[in-house]
Amino acid sequence: MVGVIFKREFSSFFATPVAYVFIFMFLMLSGVFTFFFGNFYERGQADLQPFFNFLPWLYLFLVPAIAMKSWAEERKSGSIELLMTLPVTTGQAVMGKFLASWLVLGLALLLTFPLWITVNYLGQPDNGTILAAYLGGWLLAGAFLAVGHCMSALSKNQIIAFILTVVVCFAFVLSGTSIVLNALKGFVPTLVLDMVASFSFMLHFEAISKGVLSLTDIIYFILSMFAWLAACLLIVEYKKAD
Amino acid sequence: MIQIKSLIKRFGDFVAVDGLQLEVKPGDIVGFLGPNGAGKSTTMKMITGFLPPSSGEILIDGESLAKAPINIKKKIGYLPEGAPAYADMTVLQFLHFIAQVRGFKGKEKNQRIKDVVEKVELQQVLNRPIENLSKGFKRRVGLAQAIIHDPLILILDEPTDGLDPNQKHQVRKLIQNLSKDKIVIISTHILEEVTAVCNRAVIIANGKKVFDGTPKELQQSSQFHNAVTIEFEGDKPDISQLKLAPGVTEIIERDSHTVSVIGHESYESLFPQIMDLVHLQGWHIKAMYNEVGQLDDVFRSLTKEEAA
């Protein structure tokens, strides 16, 4: 049943211009960030760090845009009443929707392959590291997306869902940066500080993108996806008829 | 069989459905009536498993909806109010999706879609996105998805709302042609619809059941049931003679040139003798007819009593 929901959601991205616009913007912006701001050529290093350094910031605004309509639209148009009276569990619906948008994000990420070809043409990069970083990027996208689906379930209004998602994701990105950690230092015990840092999407992603594919980081992303999707499920159950 | 036991639904302080008891058997086509906000849609949403009841129980074929929601949802076809659908899909894509969710594959799926498209006449809009369809077609798409799996229980929330008279007729015919061992529950504002398609009428007001019987019984509870109504040409003459006729219990003046003559229950029809009287008195009349009962009046008195 997850498969049926998944198929409907996935094709709905391509029935409207949403997926095309998203992929186009993603590819264009990732190019701009990598080559102009990331100094891809000037660095003289055969790797994709300039691209992966900007990826979280790119996702911060683009993933909420993909996620915002997932549940908000269902509730606004009333089609949620149809969906929830079909022999489908809420869990299956949540999963199907999530996987469909996650695959769109994966597709967009795959389509950055010209960057990979370029770097391989110019030098001898560590392709293992690049592969790990791509996997990390997809996991990061999934974590952002799960937050987005949860926020979309919270509000009928897509704009509100978008803003909430950006804010929450921003908090999760920032929580590992020195700005936040320095500000908190002295106020809170080290244990809390470590906890705040460990919640950061950024630290886990940076580890993977440097080629350190540790199980902890992978599990961290998978757990955060499950946690946000579980919250999403509860919110859908609770608010579906509002 | 649907058994609804002491069903209550509260939204905050507001009680939308208040201790509803109802049993619906296969073969029943129930017209579910009530003023706006009486709790019709809320009740339907609970039967279809969309809303959980605040208290009370819904059993379908002896199985509790709360315990086996998926199993029960498979038996139900539901047209929600306003016939929501996925607007960006074409009619065909949408029906394929529904058929797949309903568990059909391959040849059977295609056959089901073909049948249902013929039944509700969607051939000409199959490849159009649902968002571009007229209200009538949208409603028909909603009906199609509700009957695609030939459900034992069909629940339709205002299926003819916003349709033109031809489309209304078509939808009613469709409902009548469903096989006889099904349960159909239709909510509507249109009282004539109940007499036209239903064999049972249930009226609720303020979340409580105020009437449960056949549409005929509903008509019979009208004070104008079996009354003879006379429309005079111009203002009505002295009609004191009418009162003296045998069997007449009451004369009700409807307006300046219309009166209704109400007879005693034991008189099957007053028509012939009133006719004679009219001739005898030499009254000029425009029309004279037997009334079956004013459903509007019954509806109003039933639902107002409850509100008062």
Side-chain angles (χ1 to χ4, degrees), chain A residues 4-140:
Chain A
V4 179
I5 305 283
F6 166 83
K7 237 170 70 188
R8 198 212 77 75
E9 290 291 325
F10 189 72
S11 51
S12 133
F13 276 117
F14 290 92
T16 55
V18 175
Y20 300 106
V21 170
F22 173 81
I23 291 174
F24 177 75
M25 290 307 288
F26 179 75
L27 294 178
M28 204 184 68
L29 288 173
S30 62
V32 169
F33 277 125
T34 309
F35 291 105
F36 290 96
F37 299 107
N39 299 322
F40 180 74
Y41 294 118
E42 291 82 345
R43 290 171 75 241
Q45 287 181 29
D47 61 20
L48 284 179
Q49 274 310 311
F51 168 59
F52 288 112
N53 283 343
F54 283 108
L55 196 59
W57 303 102
L58 200 54
Y59 275 156
L60 184 58
F61 290 97
L62 287 181
V63 174
I66 276 283
M68 66 182 185
K69 93 175 193 43
S70 56
W71 289 100
E73 171 89 3
E74 290 267 359
R75 278 176 55 206
K76 184 141 204 165
S77 75
S79 56
I80 192 165
E81 192 171 347
L82 183 77
L83 182 65
M84 292 291 145
T85 51
L86 290 169
V88 177
T89 64
T90 312
Q92 289 167 337
V94 167
M95 218 49 211
K97 273 175 183 288
F98 174 76
L99 291 177
S101 9
W102 201 21
L103 191 67
V104 173
L105 292 175
L107 210 62
L109 196 57
L110 275 184
L111 287 174
T112 59
F113 71 91
L115 288 176
W116 175 73
I117 291 176
T118 311
V119 82
N120 268 284
Y121 176 76
L122 294 172
Q124 271 106 37
D126 180 353
N127 280 324
T129 305
I130 291 178
L131 193 68
Y134 265 110
L135 184 70
W138 195 45
L139 287 171
L140 177 71

Side-chain angles (χ1 to χ4, degrees), chain B residues 228 230 270-280 285 288:
Chain B
V228 176
I230 309 169
L270 291 170
F271 199 89
Q273 60 185 97
I274 303 287
M275 187 79 164
D276 288 345
L277 192 69
V278 168
H279 271 297
L280 207 68
I285 62 166
M288 183 170 147

Side-chain angles (χ1 to χ4, degrees), chain A residues 107-184:
Chain A
L107 210 62
L109 196 57
L110 275 184
L111 287 174
T112 59
F113 71 91
L115 288 176
W116 175 73
I117 291 176
T118 311
V119 82
N120 268 284
Y121 176 76
L122 294 172
Q124 271 106 37
D126 180 353
N127 280 324
T129 305
I130 291 178
L131 193 68
Y134 265 110
L135 184 70
W138 195 45
L139 287 171
L140 177 71
F144 278 11
L145 191 66
V147 173
H149 275 223
C150 184
M151 295 301 139
S152 178
L154 211 52
S155 170
K156 259 186 211 180
N157 187 316
Q158 296 191 25
I159 308 289
I160 293 176
F162 177 86
I163 294 171
L164 284 175
T165 313
V166 172
V167 170
V168 173
C169 289
F170 192 52
F172 270 88
V173 167
L174 273 191
S175 73
T177 60
S178 47
I179 312 169
V180 174
L181 294 179
N182 285 336
L184 286 175

Side-chain angles (χ1 to χ4, degrees), chain A residues 1 4-5 7-9 11-12 15-16 69 74 77-89 92 97 240-241, chain B residues 11 45 48-52 70 73-74 76 78 80-81 84-86 88-89 93-94 97-98 100-103 145 157:
Chain A
M1 206 48 76
V4 179
I5 305 283
K7 237 170 70 188
R8 198 212 77 75
E9 290 291 325
S11 51
S12 133
T16 55
K69 93 175 193 43
E74 290 267 359
S77 75
S79 56
I80 192 165
E81 192 171 347
L82 183 77
L83 182 65
M84 292 291 145
T85 51
L86 290 169
V88 177
T89 64
Q92 289 167 337
K97 273 175 183 288
K240 61 187 176 186
Chain B
F11 296 105
K45 282 176 188 178
T48 52
F50 182 59
L51 274 182
I70 296 297
K73 283 173 185 176
K74 284 181 184 162
I76 299 181
Y78 177 39
E81 192 176 0
Y86 291 107
D88 53 24
M89 298 177 106
Q93 285 169 341
F94 180 66
F97 167 66
I98 297 289
Q100 280 169 345
V101 174
R102 292 292 184 188
Q145 65 79 21
D157 201 348

